[in-house]
Amino acid sequence: MVFSGNRRALAVCVLSLFVPISIFAACLFGAYGTDPAQVLAVFKSALGIGTQKVDQALSFIIIDLRLSRVCLSFLVGMSLAVAGTVYQGILRNPLADPFTLGVSSGAAFGASLAIFSGSTMLGAELWARFGNLFLPLAALAGAMAALGAVLMLGRIGGRLRRETMVLAGIVVATFLSALISLLKSLDEESVTSIVFWIMGSFQGRGWDHLQLFLPYFIAGMIPLVYYSRELDILSLGETQARHLGMDVSKVRMALLIGSGLLTGAAVAVSGIIGFVGLIVPHLVRMFQGAEHRPLLISSSLLGGLLLVWSDVIARSLLSGGEELPVGVVTALLGGPFFCIVLRSGFKGGSS
């Protein structure tokens, strides 16, 4: 099926239009009831263009609690969707997602180790020094260490092969999962905290988490945007890419590091949120085709929107201010939908 440039442009325009609308609307939801006029007045006051006096408590709720959370969820959704798109292209596997290479297991182990260390003298000192940022910093360090291990194990004869990378990812993820289970068994008091973090949530996240996340988000996006054209060639296969003069090892390494940074930073500030990086690229390809530059743009916007509204559902579904883990919401939304897409794909292929 041939997809026109007009269709791709339409998808980007529509998704871009929904971004500010969704960010504004998502700030309406929470335990404290607000209406659109109040949110608009707070936004105007924050930008210095409003004359209406705004209650400081209301401003704190909307700007510091809700807007920071909405912005972070949007950028995390962008990161997971873009990383999933790149992994599917590099590995030429439609079931690949940001967690295929064990990066999420590395982040989970880093976070689990940080939680476990809270009962030790060194851990207590680190928690006192870094505060709430110690957990995401430990998770990010674990994610980068896991990615480094996978790249080292996957390199055979000086080259990174997609088959060995996937196997290395499985080995690293399995080993780290065993270590997480060991930490749980050694300190039963930390089990609840570890499990809740692994399920993924934006509860308690704020501007400080966004500041931690942004540098890695920017650093990860740069090589992915720069090599987006090469990703089209690479998805044809290594042999064809080499015949066209591409330095496959260099491009693949840059794309893997960029995707790993996005995934590691996302998991560090939000926990493990599944299905976003798996479903979104498929949705976008169904509408606008598989050319990677427009695919990355549309996937990033749709991934951000999907996670913003998943987080709205997570914090609005239960009464009394309680929240569901957003990873549970994305799994409940994404699992059945992906089954439908999978079955329709098989029917289309068999007819």
Side-chain angles (χ1 to χ4, degrees), residues 46-177:
L47 294 172
I49 59 175
T51 57
Q52 182 180 350
K53 200 167 184 180
V54 176
D55 180 66
Q56 291 301 311
L58 179 64
S59 179
F60 175 79
I61 290 171
I62 293 175
I63 299 296
D64 293 313
L65 297 183
R66 295 185 187 173
L67 182 61
S68 60
R69 177 171 177 161
V70 170
C71 290
L72 183 62
S73 63
F74 181 76
L75 291 177
V76 167
M78 287 182 69
S79 299
L80 295 175
V82 168
T85 303
V86 172
Y87 279 130
Q88 289 173 12
I90 293 176
L91 302 176
R92 288 190 291 156
N93 183 349
L95 295 179
D97 70 0
F99 308 136
T100 299
L101 298 184
V103 176
S104 62
S105 297
F109 174 70
S112 301
L113 191 60
I115 294 171
F116 174 81
S117 68
S119 58
T120 65
M121 185 177 298
L122 176 61
E125 184 179 337
L126 290 172
W127 275 102
R129 181 175 180 180
F130 294 102
N132 291 333
L133 290 180
F134 178 53
L135 185 61
L137 283 170
L140 184 61
M144 293 300 98
L147 178 63
V150 170
L151 294 178
M152 183 178 65
L153 292 173
R155 184 180 291 273
I156 296 179
R159 290 183 180 179
L160 280 172
R161 302 181 183 276
R162 61 189 182 93
E163 297 85 358
T164 53
M165 280 192 299
V166 173
L167 290 174
I170 293 172
V171 170
V172 170
T174 303
F175 178 71
L176 292 174
S177 296

Side-chain angles (χ1 to χ4, degrees), residues 27-306:
C27 290
L28 297 171
F29 295 90
Y32 183 85
T34 53
D35 57 52
Q38 289 176 310
V39 174
L40 185 60
V42 169
F43 282 178
K44 285 182 176 180
S45 176
L47 294 172
I49 59 175
T51 57
Q52 182 180 350
K53 200 167 184 180
V54 176
D55 180 66
Q56 291 301 311
L58 179 64
S59 179
F60 175 79
I61 290 171
I62 293 175
I63 299 296
D64 293 313
L65 297 183
R66 295 185 187 173
L67 182 61
S68 60
R69 177 171 177 161
V70 170
C71 290
L72 183 62
S73 63
F74 181 76
L75 291 177
V76 167
M78 287 182 69
S79 299
L80 295 175
V82 168
T85 303
V86 172
Y87 279 130
Q88 289 173 12
I90 293 176
L91 302 176
R92 288 190 291 156
N93 183 349
L95 295 179
D97 70 0
F99 308 136
T100 299
L101 298 184
V103 176
S104 62
S105 297
F109 174 70
S112 301
L113 191 60
I115 294 171
F116 174 81
S117 68
S119 58
T120 65
M121 185 177 298
L122 176 61
E125 184 179 337
L126 290 172
W127 275 102
R129 181 175 180 180
F130 294 102
N132 291 333
L133 290 180
F134 178 53
L135 185 61
L137 283 170
L140 184 61
M144 293 300 98
L147 178 63
V150 170
L151 294 178
M152 183 178 65
L153 292 173
R155 184 180 291 273
I156 296 179
R159 290 183 180 179
L160 280 172
R161 302 181 183 276
R162 61 189 182 93
E163 297 85 358
T164 53
M165 280 192 299
V166 173
L167 290 174
I170 293 172
V171 170
V172 170
T174 303
F175 178 71
L176 292 174
S177 296
L179 291 180
I180 293 172
S181 298
L182 176 63
L183 292 178
K184 290 179 183 178
S185 63
L186 291 176
D187 184 9
E188 294 183 0
E189 293 182 1
S190 65
V191 170
T192 302
S193 299
I194 292 173
V195 170
F196 186 79
W197 186 90
I198 288 176
M199 287 192 293
S201 175
F202 291 104
Q203 187 174 16
R205 308 307 194 267
W207 294 116
D208 51 349
H209 292 84
L210 190 62
Q211 290 175 359
L212 173 67
F213 174 79
L214 268 178
Y216 299 97
F217 173 78
I218 295 170
M221 289 294 283
I222 289 173
L224 305 189
V225 173
Y226 185 79
Y227 287 115
S228 57
R229 299 289 188 193
E230 285 80 357
L231 189 55
D232 286 322
I233 302 172
L234 191 60
S235 61
L236 299 175
E238 286 189 34
T239 304
Q240 291 90 333
R242 293 186 197 282
H243 287 164
L244 292 171
M246 180 191 293
D247 188 341
V248 174
S249 297
K250 175 185 173 182
V251 172
R252 178 177 284 164
M253 177 67 77
L255 291 170
L256 285 171
I257 291 175
S259 301
L261 282 171
L262 290 180
T263 304
V267 176
V269 296
S270 65
I272 298 176
I273 300 173
F275 281 97
V276 176
L278 182 63
I279 291 173
V280 170
H282 285 281
L283 275 174
V284 177
R285 282 194 202 94
M286 289 167 60
F287 183 79
Q288 67 175 51
E291 185 181 342
H292 276 92
R293 180 160 288 183
L295 179 62
L296 288 172
I297 296 172
S298 296
S299 293
S300 66
L301 295 173
L302 183 58
L305 291 171
L306 174 62

